[in-house]
Amino acid sequence: MFKAGKVAIIGRPNVGKSTLINALIKEKLCIVSQKPETTRDNIQGIISGKDFQVVFIDTPGMHKPKNLLGKSMVRRASSTFLEVDIVLALIDSYSGITQEDKRIFSELPSQKINFLVINKIDNINKCQVLPIIERAQKYSFKEIIPISAKKLDGTDIVFKKILEYLPEGFPMFPEDQLSDKNERFLVQELIREKVLEVTRQEIPHSIAVGIEEMKDRKDKDIYYIRANIYVEKDSQKAIVIGKKGRMLKKIGENSRKEIESFLKKKVFLDLWVKVYENWRKDPFALKNLGY
Ligand SMILES: Nc1nc2c(ncn2[C@@H]2O[C@H](COP(=O)(O)OP(=O)(O)OP(=O)(O)O)[C@@H](O)[C@H]2O)c(=O)[nH]1
Ligand SMILES: [Mg+2]
């Protein structure tokens, strides 16, 4: 019997959805950061075995949108309910079940199989998890599983339970395919992750990355990648470039290393910083940037 299906991971920003996907598919596919609202698009991560294929969907954190980008993110997250077999609602153990979480629970499709996954249990005393589990009993979750996505604690149980509930079916993707997104998108995200690592406050939210050129120069055995980091204002551009270009250099070095290990090839990375005024509020700009 072959089992196949789609599983969405949803929840508030920053609860660890992308970390969990990477843990479940055993690959670094989705970018992770300490800043909320990191994931902006649904990203499918695929894991295939002898008798199963699970397609996990990483989704943007559900939040009250402040601009058009936020609206598009939340819309994408909610739209996954329609196409999946199982929904994993993720919360973090130290916040417990918040008002926002309750609102998300109320939106869960009742005709689907819903799990509650309580993340970040490495951060708290184990006995603090019990009251959360008790409180969660009144919602109709098929399973309630405490985990640490970061420490890979309990993630194998999540996977086992998913396989239990997954319907019989046929593979949706070739067995060696890792994602529905192409290399270009994933490289773009890796660069954005490196910008998020070194910037603060409003800047992480104001950043977008666009790949202008990506060429596999077989003669030189190197990938040539030219990318733009978009910011919304001149002042942000100055910060991202940094004194004597130091910040941009660091972003470039960190990105290159990670892209090389992802593409398994040497990379020449040509990074530029450009101002794209108010792109988060402009429907045309959003479309242009792939949001
Ligand atoms: N201590 C601890 N931290 C975790 C765990 N899982 C994720 N994190 C951290 O939580 C932060 C957010 O993780 P993400 O995976 O980016 O969270 P997300 O839910 O995808 O966030 P958005 O994309 O912004 O909605 C990062 O700093 C992670 O390293 C965990 O099990 N324990
Ligand atoms: Mg994420």
Side-chain angles (χ1 to χ4, degrees):
M1 183 173 77
F2 195 93
K3 288 193 154 192
K6 289 192 173 182
V7 179
I9 305 193
I10 60 122
R12 284 187 296 112
N14 221 32
V15 292
K17 299 177 294 300
S18 302
T19 309
L20 178 57
I21 294 257
N22 293 342
L24 290 167
I25 64 166
K26 300 184 169 73
E27 293 278 351
K28 159 78 188 283
L29 173 72
C30 301
I31 65 168
V32 165
S33 98
Q34 294 176 352
K35 278 110 191 169
E37 294 164 46
T38 296
T39 305
R40 290 175 176 168
D41 199 353
N42 292 346
I43 301 167
Q44 304 193 1
I46 306 150
I47 181 157
S48 306
K50 196 164 63 37
D51 49 9
F52 67 84
Q53 181 170 77
V54 191
V55 179
F56 290 101
I57 309 180
D58 190 11
T59 64
M62 305 265 230
H63 64 286
K64 277 209 186 79
K66 294 179 278 292
N67 49 44
L68 214 56
L69 172 65
K71 270 192 197 145
S72 136
M73 284 162 57
V74 174
R75 205 178 322 116
R76 278 169 201 218
S78 320
S79 72
T80 55
F81 291 154
L82 299 170
E83 55 168 321
V84 298
D85 303 283
I86 301 174
V87 178
L88 304 188
L90 196 63
I91 61 172
D92 77 52
S93 57
Y94 50 80
S95 311
I97 301 172
T98 66
Q99 281 310 109
E100 268 296 283
D101 291 325
K102 285 183 194 162
R103 206 182 46 75
I104 295 170
F105 295 171
S106 73
E107 285 175 29
L108 293 175
S110 54
Q111 74 281 19
K112 305 264 160 127
I113 293 156
N114 301 316
F115 289 6
L116 178 68
V117 181
I118 306 168
N119 193 26
K120 307 196 187 182
I121 57 164
D122 55 295
N123 244 351
I124 62 161
N125 199 315
K126 290 248 152 81
C127 61
Q128 287 170 267
V129 185
L130 278 176
I132 305 176
I133 297 178
E134 251 163 48
R135 242 171 281 139
Q137 303 289 351
K138 70 169 179 194
Y139 302 93
S140 47
F141 290 111
K142 283 272 192 297
E143 299 284 343
I144 300 174
I145 312 167
I147 65 157
S148 165
K150 199 172 177 173
K151 300 268 155 75
L152 304 180
D153 180 9
T155 46
D156 50 342
I157 300 175
V158 175
F159 194 75
K160 243 181 32 219
K161 285 288 172 194
I162 287 169
L163 284 188
E164 240 173 65
Y165 287 91
L166 215 61
E168 260 182 74
F170 297 98
M172 293 155 275
F173 294 95
E175 67 175 329
D176 59 348
Q177 191 167 333
L178 175 67
S179 177
D180 64 325
K181 297 289 186 192
N182 58 23
E183 272 180 354
R184 220 182 162 93
F185 174 87
L186 298 171
V187 166
Q188 194 170 294
E189 287 282 274
L190 285 179
I191 298 171
R192 195 162 63 82
E193 182 183 62
K194 299 306 156 204
V195 183
L196 296 188
E197 269 173 17
V198 296
T199 53
R200 241 162 253 122
Q201 286 163 355
E202 192 49 25
I203 295 188
H205 301 291
S206 312
I207 296 286
V209 175
I211 305 283
E212 294 295 297
E213 201 180 336
M214 189 160 155
K215 249 198 257 149
D216 188 358
R217 288 202 178 146
K218 294 212 169 69
D219 53 327
K220 291 191 178 135
D221 207 25
I222 200 165
Y223 248 109
Y224 172 80
I225 299 171
R226 183 160 52 87
N228 290 337
I229 298 171
Y230 296 104
V231 291
E232 290 190 313
K233 298 178 201 153
D234 278 321
S235 57
Q236 296 171 337
K237 178 172 170 175
I239 293 170
V240 173
I241 292 175
K243 262 199 196 111
K244 296 191 177 156
R246 272 191 221 126
M247 181 77 109
L248 186 59
K249 190 162 171 238
K250 187 163 178 54
I251 293 168
E253 276 169 10
N254 294 350
S255 306
R256 183 179 51 76
K257 278 187 211 141
E258 190 127 352
I259 299 167
E260 284 181 344
S261 92
F262 173 66
L263 295 175
K264 296 184 180 64
K265 198 157 182 180
K266 278 239 157 302
V267 164
F268 182 89
L269 182 61
D270 195 7
L271 271 187
W272 296 82
V273 185
K274 303 208 163 155
V275 176
Y276 199 148
E277 265 175 49
N278 283 325
W279 69 263
R280 286 181 293 168
K281 295 183 191 140
D282 172 359
F284 179 73
L286 284 181
K287 195 152 186 262
N288 238 345
L289 294 166
Y291 297 124

